[in-house]
């Protein structure tokens, strides 16, 4: 496997960057031509950010799974595509070669067909991190069905909302999932969701924990039984459906500053080119290397850098079922040692959590196979960066600090391992094709260096989201209306004297808790559903491990028995409505919230108090009732 588009020197980076901005169509046509198309595109790029309307490789026909799998069989058929490491280190790991994986994808694609799934249908996937998860994802892509993977930490209610929004009639799930010491009853969570989703026609259940599950006649079927049926049918082939470059590949729900999560839509051609291009260049992947991305496939990082990016590059992708701290805080290092991992891609929150357990775990393992480290999901603090560099990478391995979003499909701003310089806490330079700019509140571009502002992108890259499912206007309002003719990221950013970018965090009402995006409005809605709650306001506060914690100010009608129990009840309600990942860390009961005369909550003040700042709260003269601030300050947790 060779990558004609792999950048090999700093000079080549600058040259590629220049060309990608000056002649994007030529640049991306060149990159795209190293993939397998059933029919070539007639137009490389068509776009306007007003609508927005972006089309890459229009007229091109392809199937992404042929590019991930079939294309590699001659050269890499017996090489590992996926190495799966189970939750429990005592259990055997599994290796799927490219041949095995293709066979299983075709087989399961036939299962989907047997169960009535057709091109364009939406299939919800709610599974633990077992090899059947990427198999299910790729089987959908094989037949042109649109997958929507939901992270295992979301509740029945969240699943039901997403099923409704996507009108998904098919679900693929597991009986349960292992995560550290816990067993998560996935099927039973799905069963609760389905009480409100009568339109779901079929649930395919894969066995993992073999806990008792209810199986409803006519609706629920076992994965293994369906595979047996396909085997007795005797035809193991499943031709790849011919798809348009701009057909939808997947929907992935993500939180914004308002309302319910939105279904970010990615389309096949552009996403394919972008996930592969960024994978090969950022990590400087070399054939034969083992790439270990610790994300869950329920998030965009898992989509792009466990499944699609690595497989498109014919790489070996290691996926891990468990958590970094079970059975002990050396689990990641065990895996690196056991499988001789070359590239490790994880999140600052995991690094900070492992740091707190001391050096014994990391120093007792052989990490000499590592050559590149990566981080994603939130700004990395200097201390965590240094620890990662020194104790994991032994000062030998570059760290790529990759800034990107669900909406961008792949990495946008990052250094490239051993090619462009790293700078601790800086994502550094844009990837070729990415045209970032900083703007002030009025939308005026801020030129020059040593400046800061809101981060926007001026022109489309192949991996840009195309719409939000079922509601294009929401996509326009969210991303393309704040500033004229630009994509707005929602992040604040500064540019140093050398043009390096440093992302400083969200400037909208979105929290980043352990690298997970959670909208404050979403958490408030969930809290307000608790019977005793009158009103609430949610802000983030700095948290040593999670990056940000969730701080809720709650006006309650009175407590049922006592305040502590009410707190726990509220937490339970949030867990039910959104999922355990959105549980507030702190709940402060207040008698009022600081509001302007027009009724708007002054979050700035609440944020400061949550951060422990009580003296310098800024202008409070516009408040309806300034007295409430004193009360909140004195009760701060
Ligand atoms: C934040 C995850 C600083 C940022 C791939 C962004 C980062 C949000 C970084 C997207 C980074 C992600 N440095 N901040 N390297 N990477 N972020 O959609 O605020 O889950 O807007 O995508 O995470 O989160 P999402």
């Amino acid at each position: 496997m060779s990558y004609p588009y792999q950048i090999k020197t700093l000079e080549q980076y600058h040259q590629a960057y220049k060309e990608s901005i000056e002649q994007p169509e030529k640049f991306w046509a060149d990159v795209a031509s190293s993939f397998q198309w059933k029919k070539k595109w007639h137009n490389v790029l068509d776009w306007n950010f007003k609508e927005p309307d972006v089309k890459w490789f229009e007229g091109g026909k392809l199937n992404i799974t042929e590019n991930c799998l079939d294309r590699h069989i001659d050269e890499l058929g017996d090489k590992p595509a996926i190495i799966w490491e189970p939750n429990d280190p005592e259990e055997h790991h599994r290796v799927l070669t490219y041949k095995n994986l293709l066979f299983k994808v075709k087989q399961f694609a036939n299962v989907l067909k047997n169960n009535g799934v057709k091109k364009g249908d939406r299939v919800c996937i709610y599974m633990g991190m077992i090899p059947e998860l990427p198999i299910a994802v790729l089987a959908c892509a094989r037949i042109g069905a649109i997958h929507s993977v939901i992270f295992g930490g979301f509740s029945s209610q969240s699943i039901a909302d997403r099923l409704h929004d996507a009108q998904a009639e098919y679900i693929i799930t597991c009986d349960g999932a292992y995560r550290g010491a816990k067993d998560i009853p996935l099927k039973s969570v799905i069963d609760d969701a389905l009480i409100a989703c009568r339109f779901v026609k079929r649930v395919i259940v894969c066995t993992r924990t073999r806990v008792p599950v209810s199986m409803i006649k006519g609706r629920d079927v076992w994965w293994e039984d369906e595979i047996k049926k396909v085997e007795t049918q005797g035809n193991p082939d499943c031709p790849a459906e011919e798809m348009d470059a701009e057909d939808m590949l997947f929907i992935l729900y993500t939180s914004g500053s308002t309302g319910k999560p939105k279904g970010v839509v990615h389309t096949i051609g552009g996403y394919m080119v972008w996930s592969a291009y960024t994978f090969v260049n950022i990590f400087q992947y070399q054939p034969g290397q083992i790439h270990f991305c610790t994300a869950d496939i329920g998030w965009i990082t898992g989509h792009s850098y466990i499944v699609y990016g690595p497989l498109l590059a014919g790489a070996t992708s290691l996926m891990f079922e468990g958590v970094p701290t079970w059975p002990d805080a050396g689990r990641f290092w065990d895996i690196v040692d056991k499988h001789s991992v070359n590239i490790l891609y994880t999140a600052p929150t995991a690094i900070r959590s492992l740091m707190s357990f001391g050096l014994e775990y990391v120093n007792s393992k052989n990490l000499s196979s590592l050559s590149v480290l990566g981080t994603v999901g939130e700004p990395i603090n200097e201390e965590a960066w240094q620890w990662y560099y020194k104790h994991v990478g032994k000062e030998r391995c570059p760290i790529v600090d990759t800034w990107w979003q669900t909406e961008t499909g792949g990495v946008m701003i990052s250094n490239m391992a051993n090619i462009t310089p790293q700078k601790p806490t800086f994502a550094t330079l844009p990837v070729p094709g990415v045209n970032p700019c900083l703007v002030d509140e009025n939308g005026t571009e801020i030129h020059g260096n040593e400046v800061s502002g809101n981060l926007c992108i001026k022109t489309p890259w192949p991996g840009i989201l195309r719409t939000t499912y079922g509601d294009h206007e929401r996509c326009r309002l969210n991303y393309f209306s704040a500033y004229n003719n630009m994509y707005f990221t929602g992040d604040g950013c500064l540019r140093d004297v050398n043009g390096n970018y440093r992302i400083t965090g969200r400037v909208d009402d979105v929290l980043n808790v352990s690298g997970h995006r959670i909208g404050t409005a979403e958490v408030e809605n969930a809290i307000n559903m608790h019977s005793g709650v009158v009103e609430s306001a949610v802000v983030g506060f700095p948290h040593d491990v999670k990056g940000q914690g969730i701080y809720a100010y709650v006006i309650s009608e009175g407590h049922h028995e006592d305040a502590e129990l009410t707190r726990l009840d509220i937490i339970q309600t949030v867990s039910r409505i959104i999922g355990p990942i959105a549980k507030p860390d702190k709940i402060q009961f207040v008698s009022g919230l600081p509001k302007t005369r027009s009724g708007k909550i002054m979050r700035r003040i609440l944020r400061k108090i949550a951060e422990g700042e009580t003296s310098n709260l800024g202008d409070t003269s516009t408040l309806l009732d300034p007295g409430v601030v004193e009360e909140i300050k004195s009760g701060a947790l």
Side-chain angles (χ1 to χ4, degrees), residues 254 299-301 345 348 375-380 400-408 413 425 427 489-491 502-506 510 512 515-517:
T254 190
W299 306 108
I300 190 70
T301 306
Y345 189 30
T375 154
V376 60
E378 53 174 312
I380 184 164
V400 292
D401 180 351
T402 64
W403 172 83
W404 59 296
Q405 310 179 298
T406 304
E407 295 84 348
T408 70
I413 302 181
T425 77
T489 64
D491 280 319
R502 177 191 192 167
I503 314 303
T504 48
R506 303 288 304 194
V510 173
N512 194 326
H516 302 153
R517 263 165 80 167

Coordinates of all heavy atoms in Angstrom, one line a residue, residues 254 299-301 345 348 375-380 400-408 413 425 427 489-491 502-506 510 512 515-517, ligand 1:
T254 N -25.2 15.1 17.6 CA -24.3 15.9 18.5 C -25.0 17.1 19.1 O -26.0 17.6 18.5 CB -23.0 16.3 17.7 OG1 -22.1 16.8 18.7 CG2 -23.3 17.3 16.7
W299 N -18.7 7.9 18.8 CA -18.4 9.3 18.6 C -17.7 9.4 17.3 O -17.2 8.4 16.7 CB -17.4 9.8 19.7 CG -17.9 9.6 21.1 CD1 -17.5 8.7 22.0 CD2 -19.0 10.3 21.7 NE1 -18.2 8.8 23.2 CE2 -19.1 9.7 23.0 CE3 -19.9 11.3 21.4 CZ2 -20.1 10.2 24.0 CZ3 -20.8 11.7 22.3 CH2 -20.9 11.2 23.6
I300 N -17.6 10.6 16.8 CA -17.0 10.8 15.4 C -15.5 10.3 15.4 O -15.1 9.8 14.4 CB -17.1 12.3 15.0 CG1 -16.7 12.5 13.5 CG2 -16.2 13.2 15.9 CD1 -17.6 12.0 12.5
T301 N -14.8 10.5 16.5 CA -13.4 10.0 16.5 C -13.3 8.5 16.2 O -12.4 8.1 15.4 CB -12.7 10.3 17.8 OG1 -12.9 11.7 18.1 CG2 -11.2 10.1 17.8
Y345 N -3.8 7.1 20.0 CA -4.6 8.4 19.9 C -5.6 8.4 21.0 O -6.5 7.5 21.0 CB -5.2 8.3 18.5 CG -5.9 9.6 18.0 CD1 -5.5 10.8 18.4 CD2 -7.0 9.4 17.1 CE1 -6.2 12.0 17.9 CE2 -7.6 10.6 16.6 CZ -7.2 11.8 17.0 OH -7.9 12.9 16.5
P348 N -7.3 14.1 26.3 CA -6.7 14.7 27.5 C -7.3 14.2 28.8 O -6.6 14.0 29.7 CB -7.0 16.2 27.3 CG -7.0 16.4 25.8 CD -7.7 15.1 25.3
T375 N -3.8 13.4 20.5 CA -4.8 13.8 21.4 C -5.9 14.5 20.7 O -5.7 15.2 19.7 CB -4.2 14.7 22.6 OG1 -5.2 15.5 23.1 CG2 -3.0 15.5 22.1
V376 N -7.1 14.4 21.2 CA -8.3 15.0 20.6 C -9.4 15.2 21.6 O -9.5 14.5 22.6 CB -8.8 14.1 19.5 CG1 -9.2 12.7 20.0 CG2 -10.0 14.7 18.8
G377 N -10.3 16.1 21.4 CA -11.5 16.2 22.1 C -11.7 17.4 22.9 O -12.8 17.9 23.1
E378 N -10.6 18.0 23.4 CA -10.7 19.2 24.2 C -9.3 19.8 24.2 O -8.3 19.1 23.9 CB -11.1 18.9 25.6 CG -10.3 17.8 26.2 CD -10.6 17.5 27.7 OE1 -10.7 18.4 28.5 OE2 -10.7 16.3 28.0
P379 N -9.1 21.0 24.7 CA -7.8 21.6 24.8 C -7.0 20.8 25.8 O -7.5 20.4 26.8 CB -8.1 23.0 25.3 CG -9.5 23.3 25.0 CD -10.2 22.0 25.0
I380 N -5.7 20.5 25.4 CA -4.9 19.7 26.4 C -4.1 20.8 27.2 O -3.5 21.7 26.6 CB -4.0 18.7 25.6 CG1 -3.2 17.9 26.7 CG2 -3.1 19.3 24.6 CD1 -2.6 16.6 26.1
V400 N 0.6 14.6 18.2 CA -0.3 15.5 17.3 C -1.5 15.9 18.1 O -2.2 15.1 18.7 CB -0.6 14.7 16.0 CG1 0.6 14.6 15.2 CG2 -1.3 13.4 16.2
D401 N -1.7 17.2 18.2 CA -2.8 17.8 18.9 C -3.8 18.1 17.9 O -3.7 19.1 17.1 CB -2.4 19.0 19.7 CG -3.5 19.6 20.5 OD1 -4.7 19.3 20.3 OD2 -3.3 20.6 21.3
T402 N -4.8 17.3 17.7 CA -5.7 17.4 16.6 C -7.0 18.1 16.9 O -7.9 17.5 17.7 CB -6.1 15.9 16.0 OG1 -6.8 15.2 17.1 CG2 -4.8 15.2 15.7
W403 N -7.3 19.3 16.4 CA -8.5 19.9 16.6 C -9.5 19.6 15.5 O -9.1 19.8 14.3 CB -8.4 21.5 16.7 CG -9.7 22.1 16.7 CD1 -10.5 22.3 17.8 CD2 -10.5 22.6 15.6 NE1 -11.7 22.8 17.4 CE2 -11.7 23.1 16.1 CE3 -10.2 22.7 14.2 CZ2 -12.7 23.6 15.3 CZ3 -11.2 23.3 13.4 CH2 -12.4 23.7 13.9
W404 N -10.7 19.2 15.8 CA -11.7 19.0 14.8 C -13.0 18.8 15.5 O -13.1 18.9 16.7 CB -11.4 17.9 13.8 CG -11.1 16.5 14.4 CD1 -10.1 16.2 15.3 CD2 -11.9 15.3 14.2 NE1 -10.2 14.8 15.6 CE2 -11.3 14.3 15.0 CE3 -13.0 15.0 13.4 CZ2 -11.8 13.0 14.9 CZ3 -13.5 13.7 13.4 CH2 -12.9 12.7 14.2
Q405 N -14.1 18.5 14.7 CA -15.5 18.4 15.3 C -16.3 17.3 14.6 O -15.9 16.9 13.4 CB -16.2 19.7 15.1 CG -15.5 20.9 15.5 CD -16.2 22.2 15.3 OE1 -16.5 22.5 14.1 NE2 -16.6 22.9 16.3
T406 N -17.3 16.9 15.2 CA -18.3 16.0 14.5 C -18.6 16.5 13.1 O -18.7 15.7 12.1 CB -19.6 15.8 15.3 OG1 -19.2 15.4 16.6 CG2 -20.5 14.8 14.7
E407 N -18.8 17.8 13.0 CA -19.3 18.4 11.8 C -18.2 18.5 10.7 O -18.4 18.7 9.6 CB -19.7 19.9 12.1 CG -20.9 20.0 13.0 CD -20.6 19.9 14.5 OE1 -19.5 19.6 14.8 OE2 -21.5 20.3 15.2
T408 N -16.9 18.4 11.1 CA -15.8 18.5 10.2 C -15.4 17.2 9.6 O -14.6 17.1 8.7 CB -14.6 19.2 10.7 OG1 -13.9 18.4 11.7 CG2 -14.9 20.6 11.4
I413 N -7.1 21.1 12.2 CA -5.9 21.8 12.6 C -5.1 20.9 13.4 O -5.6 20.4 14.4 CB -6.3 23.2 13.3 CG1 -7.2 24.1 12.5 CG2 -5.0 23.9 13.7 CD1 -7.5 25.4 13.1
T425 N 0.2 22.4 23.8 CA -1.2 23.1 24.0 C -1.6 23.8 22.7 O -2.7 24.4 22.7 CB -1.2 24.1 25.2 OG1 -0.6 25.3 24.8 CG2 -0.6 23.5 26.4
A427 N -2.8 23.4 18.7 CA -3.1 22.5 17.6 C -2.2 22.8 16.4 O -2.1 22.0 15.4 CB -4.6 22.5 17.2
T489 N -17.4 27.6 13.9 CA -17.1 26.4 14.6 C -17.7 26.4 16.0 O -17.8 25.3 16.6 CB -15.5 26.3 14.8 OG1 -15.1 27.4 15.6 CG2 -14.8 26.3 13.5
G490 N -17.9 27.6 16.6 CA -18.4 27.6 18.0 C -17.2 27.6 19.0 O -17.4 27.7 20.2
D491 N -16.0 27.6 18.5 CA -14.8 27.7 19.3 C -14.1 29.0 19.3 O -14.0 29.7 18.3 CB -13.8 26.6 18.8 CG -14.1 25.2 19.3 OD1 -14.5 25.1 20.5 OD2 -14.0 24.3 18.5
R502 N -4.2 28.0 18.6 CA -4.5 27.4 19.9 C -6.0 27.5 20.2 O -6.5 28.6 20.3 CB -3.7 28.0 21.0 CG -4.0 27.4 22.3 CD -3.5 28.2 23.4 NE -3.6 27.4 24.7 CZ -3.0 27.7 25.8 NH1 -2.2 28.7 25.9 NH2 -3.2 26.9 26.8
I503 N -6.7 26.4 20.3 CA -8.1 26.4 20.5 C -8.3 26.7 22.0 O -7.8 25.9 22.9 CB -8.8 25.1 20.1 CG1 -8.3 24.6 18.8 CG2 -10.3 25.2 20.2 CD1 -8.5 25.6 17.6
T504 N -9.1 27.6 22.4 CA -9.3 28.0 23.8 C -10.6 27.4 24.4 O -10.7 27.5 25.6 CB -9.2 29.5 24.0 OG1 -10.1 30.1 23.1 CG2 -7.8 30.0 23.8
G505 N -11.5 26.9 23.6 CA -12.7 26.3 24.2 C -13.9 26.9 23.5 O -13.8 27.8 22.7
R506 N -15.1 26.3 23.9 CA -16.3 26.8 23.2 C -16.7 28.2 23.7 O -16.5 28.6 24.8 CB -17.5 25.8 23.6 CG -17.2 24.4 23.3 CD -17.3 24.0 21.9 NE -18.6 24.4 21.3 CZ -18.9 23.9 20.1 NH1 -18.2 23.0 19.4 NH2 -20.1 24.3 19.5
V510 N -22.1 25.3 25.0 CA -21.8 23.9 24.9 C -20.7 23.5 25.8 O -19.7 24.2 25.9 CB -21.4 23.5 23.4 CG1 -21.0 22.0 23.4 CG2 -22.6 23.7 22.5
N512 N -17.9 20.7 27.4 CA -17.0 19.6 27.0 C -16.6 18.9 28.2 O -15.7 19.2 28.9 CB -15.8 20.2 26.2 CG -15.1 19.1 25.4 OD1 -15.1 18.0 25.9 ND2 -14.6 19.5 24.3
G515 N -14.3 15.3 27.2 CA -14.3 15.2 25.8 C -15.6 15.0 25.1 O -15.7 14.8 23.9
H516 N -16.7 14.9 25.9 CA -18.0 14.7 25.3 C -18.7 16.1 25.2 O -18.8 16.8 26.2 CB -18.9 13.8 26.1 CG -18.2 12.4 26.3 ND1 -18.5 11.6 27.3 CD2 -17.4 11.7 25.5 CE1 -17.8 10.5 27.2 NE2 -17.1 10.6 26.1
R517 N -19.3 16.3 24.1 CA -20.1 17.6 24.0 C -21.5 17.5 24.6 O -22.2 16.6 24.2 CB -20.2 17.8 22.5 CG -19.2 18.8 21.9 CD -19.2 18.7 20.5 NE -20.3 19.5 19.9 CZ -20.4 19.8 18.6 NH1 -19.5 19.3 17.8 NH2 -21.4 20.5 18.2
Ligands
LIG1 C1 -13.2 20.5 21.2 C2 -14.4 15.7 18.6 C3 -9.1 21.8 21.6 C4 -13.7 21.8 20.5 C5 -13.4 15.3 17.5 C6 -14.6 21.3 19.4 C7 -10.7 20.5 20.9 C8 -15.3 20.1 20.0 C9 -9.8 19.6 20.3 C10 -15.8 19.1 19.1 C11 -8.4 19.9 20.4 C12 -11.8 18.9 19.9 N1 -8.1 21.1 21.1 N2 -10.4 21.6 21.6 N3 -7.4 19.2 19.9 N4 -10.5 18.6 19.7 N5 -12.0 20.0 20.6 O1 -17.8 17.1 17.9 O2 -14.4 22.6 21.4 O3 -17.1 15.6 19.9 O4 -15.5 22.2 18.9 O5 -15.6 16.2 18.0 O6 -14.3 19.5 20.9 O7 -16.3 17.9 19.7 P1 -16.8 16.7 18.9

